Amino acid sequence: MVLLHWCILQPSEKGGLAAIRFSSAVRVRSIRIFPSDTKPFSQCPELTSRTEPQAFFLNIYFNAQPITSADAKERPKHSNALVPTSIAYDGGQRDFQIDMGADHATRLMIVKGDFESVSMAIYGDVVTESHAAPSNYEPRPLPTVTPAPLPAVLDPANARDPSQLARQLLKLIPDAPELELVIRLVFCLKPSDDDWDLPDFPYLHPDLDSASEDLDLEKALRLTTRPVSDDISLDTVSHFAEKVALSLDPKEKDPNQAYRIAGILYNVSCQHPSMARTLMDSTELLQVFDLSTIEDETTLTRLLYAAANADIAKRLDRAEFLELLSSMASDYNTNQDLRETAKRLLSRLRGWYLLEDAFSNTQGDFIAAASMLKDIGTEEQSFGIWLESMIAHDDIVSSLAENPVLPVTLPRLLSHRPSYGSPSQDEFIAFVRAFVGIACVLAVYAWSDSLPDERCRSRTLSILRLWQRVDGYREIVNHLLLLRQMTFRLACMTDDEECTTDDPPTRSGVDAEHILVDLAKTPQSFLRFNFAKRILNIGTSTSFITDEERSSMRQAAFVVVDGFSGAVDELLRPVERPPRFGSLRTLRVALAYIERELDEDEGSRVLDDFWEDAKCSLSSCLSDLLAPLVEEIQSQFSLLQRPPPHLDQDVVAQLFWAVDDILRLFLRLVPVSPLPSRMLRALTTQVADVFACTDAADMRYSQSSQPSVAAQDTRQSCIDLIRALGSQPPVASGTKPGAQLVLRVLLEHGLHSNSLDPTHHLLQVFYLVDSLLPGEDCSESQRALWIQGVIPMVLKELWAFCHALDTENKVHFIRRLSSLDQGAVGVGEWLLLEEVKDVSRAVQVLREHDISEQRRRVTQSQIALFFRLLSDLLRSSSAQWCLESLAAVEETPHILATTLFALFELHSAPPHLGNVLEGLAAGYDVFDNEVRWAIVLGLWRSLQSPDLSASCLERRIESSIKVLATITTSYLDPVRVTAEVGSLLLNLAQHPEVVDQNAAQAVVSLLEWLAQTATSVAKMGSLQSISSDDFGAFRDRLKDTLSVEWKERLDAACCELVLGNASVPPQNLAPVPESVELSIHDIEELLRQNIPTPATPPRRPLNQDVLGLVTVSPPAILRSPAVTGLTKTYQNNDFRQLRQTSARANTSRLPSMHVDVGVAMAT
């Protein structure tokens, strides 16, 4: 994107029009407007902007010019069509994004509006005609975008006093009260309309001293409806509390008395901290509450509000009061609203304890404490009282300030999705500070909007809009902006009665519209009925909200307003394709509504009601919705569609979140309503496809982008649902358990990626399978189910899936299954045996003489991967299990030894062969003579490597001697043994490096074994493959590093050996590549080798047997005149003549291409 044009536009005298003509076709991306008297470009200080007036609307029209490709047959005609858009300039430097699409450009831009001058810079791209794709692709790195951190003044999460920003904003208002008083007035003790007009407002404090003479509960309740002064004396508060105590009769269980006491507690909970403490300490208020007095809904609700005060919550947290609330919450004879309020009050009392504990306890329950803050933020009375406690109670303020300020990432603790990990204490402290700081700024916004004070309101809304774009802050801001008062104030700023088309746009009005649109992007926002109602009341005179966006938001709001039937109707509607943001949002609102109904469904009526309205089950409806959504996600990562269909990142994120919403609903339904087998299979396949796409999205998009965040949320839901489906019991007697069905589908689907990347798809399905398998700490019953009832039924699929895995994951998979099996069935041993058989077949293929070069390279890579697999197993903690598994089945050692001997005959040296042989030598005692001799021979052959270290040389020779000594001498072939030893010695003699002392001692030990064995086995001491000269030279090299004792031992052993006349040079080993690179032509050749040559099948004669009479009519019947109309035999070119004479007989059928065709009619 480059600067296309800079200008200071002045409209014509008539019509207010101005135009810009570009020298070539351009695609405009952004328009930046500068205020007056600024320097737009630092490199051009002589330029000064001029924009008058300070705010106005602009209508902009672009001449649409289609872009043609180089290979287009016809060029489209130029059109005079104008594409309109509008922008609302509210002062300052502003950027306006323009989306012209990729198919059009423009050369003319017309500007119309009520302005005197406007300074603008136009950014975009110069467009040329599309050319053919380049033949050579040159990859270029994408620029890395690092988000800038928030300025310290706008980052309350990293401030010891998170209320400092709000106090600074409040100073923008002349003669503004303290923040504590503002919070009381806008959230808790709201003044009447008349109070706002009084000259002493907002300092309207009750006179507690003069009113204490004849004080009763009713009068005390009225007095506390106004906030007391912050400098009130403690004596006044104590005297007032004593009068209240005298007015109280604890023995009288009067609901009216309890109602007034709850009201007084609510009124004083947000005031000076001494009020609530003194009142609770001077009276026995809890004695007036019992089951008969607390059943009033208003009384219990006021106690709930009052418990947002830390001091009141501590004094309500008593055993007798908690027992009272518990009995009410668990009594289903009580009103449901009362039971719900009692549960919330219990949670709030517990939440205050957990919150204060979290400030000092590094192992606190941060998730539960955050749940309390989430509940606090749903109603403004509790919210205001809690906020007063956080900034006015010295003990809480100091406890929070004692924690150091550390740079951490804010956790998403207010998400409606379940949390899969607890944050650290430092992260939670930052979250609480951010919550308090945002809450204080919201209080300032409400106060500035009530006055109104445009300067403070505009500044505050700009900060809130900025926080909506910052991860961590976004969730807190959006949660608190859904308070009834906040949505009301934002909606009023977009009301038609407040705004007209003649009024210039204001910065606060534009910011309010942006905030509402961002709020509407979250479906859970619409579940707040007050928000949905405000969305429906948004007028048409808006500066930022377009008619399309307004209609889309209204459609989502109607789902909630119409209730359960509206949500059902939306779920039954087909998914729009290609998807749009608005349609996906409306769908997600319906899904969120159903989820909330399930949360509140104590009588289990939601599923029945859905069936009655939709005439189908909720599960089948969700399954029908999931299929097209998964297809749309797959199309974004398909290998068959390049480039993929264009979708904005917001739409991709909504696709993932919509799928996530459906999966979480399935998580709710599966335990109570098991899915039928067909639906379970389809759902498992779709979950696997989505799971693979989530990882692909994480690689394609940046970590902080919305698609990446949505993909990660959906990824965890996929794992949870797969586990839930695997735990589903059989739907009927004699049917298969869910674990067997899910595992079979995953194993089969892992090998069929459809349009996705096959390797990536297989890896992701493997991750799901690994998540599905029970852990090591599973119960014995669950282990028995899997080992006896699941895995034995899918052995074929299990082997095919395991065989396709890469080596690292194959090792993990085999170890995982063997750990689960614990030797009960031997599934891990069976998989290892199949791998041995498979590599044996591969070695036999290499021995074929007519094998193609492409197949040889693939087979060699297959062999190398097997030895890497065996090497990884033998070097892991499963080494002993691997050795025992290889020896457990009688045929396995023989196949393994035969494979090794065949490789030695081919003089092939696969990678990791030496490591495998060392591992086998460590457990040689479980093998027979055949495998032991193969180990020894392989160890000797592996010493031919030129880059072998001295320590490895010593270790392998010692291992070979140790194994060789255990082989029955009658099994050994002296000629073969001496030939191999001779080749080994000759190879060591030709080794460029000096053999060190330890390696030399190992060679001497080998010669001693030969000498000792030669006494009992003929020809065992005859080394004919190495000459005496070469051996003598090598012996001298050995003596240079040996001690006197070892030299004598070497001479004694050499005396028993018979050397040859000439050395037989050993044949070098051919390295086997571990990986293989194939061209497209090579792959075609490999595939063509498996295609059989087409051939016409031989014509079978008509046999005149009994069965033939039944299936084929005899020739006599075929020639009978009675069947002339039914059959016809063509000869020579008769069919062509018939076609010419009756050309119009049947014009819908092509002429026959066969001759002598007869049709036999069976009778």
Side-chain angles (χ1 to χ4, degrees), residues 1145-1156:
N1146 185 3
T1147 58
S1148 63
R1149 183 176 178 181
L1150 295 175
S1152 174
M1153 302 299 293
H1154 301 284
V1155 182
D1156 298 335

Side-chain angles (χ1 to χ4, degrees), residues 843-844 847 867 893-908 913 928-938 941 967 971 976 980:
V843 172
Q844 295 304 320
R847 302 180 69 176
F867 281 98
H894 175 70
I895 298 175
L896 179 61
T898 304
T899 302
L900 292 174
F901 289 138
L903 284 174
F904 300 152
E905 292 178 7
L906 294 171
H907 298 281
S908 298
L913 175 60
D928 56 10
N929 289 330
E930 185 181 21
V931 177
R932 294 182 187 185
W933 170 238
I935 293 173
V936 172
L937 184 57
R941 292 286 184 94
I967 301 177
Y971 177 81
R976 179 73 180 275
E980 293 294 337

Side-chain angles (χ1 to χ4, degrees), residues 816-890:
R816 184 88 159 79
L817 291 173
S818 64
S819 176
L820 177 64
D821 183 23
Q822 294 184 352
V825 175
V827 59
E829 293 84 343
W830 175 76
L831 288 175
L832 189 57
L833 171 61
E834 292 300 317
E835 289 288 342
V836 174
K837 290 181 178 179
D838 189 67
V839 75
S840 176
R841 290 189 290 267
V843 172
Q844 295 304 320
V845 170
L846 281 183
R847 302 180 69 176
E848 298 177 1
H849 299 289
D850 57 346
I851 183 174
S852 64
E853 178 61 27
Q854 296 88 351
R855 191 177 181 188
R856 178 184 299 277
R857 289 155 58 190
V858 172
T859 306
Q860 287 178 336
S861 176
Q862 179 184 353
I863 296 172
L865 291 176
F866 167 78
F867 281 98
R868 181 186 170 189
L869 166 70
L870 210 54
S871 174
D872 291 347
L873 284 173
L874 291 171
R875 288 187 297 176
S876 67
S877 59
S878 302
Q880 187 61 34
W881 170 86
C882 180
L883 292 171
E884 294 175 354
S885 300
L886 291 174
V889 183
E890 183 177 356

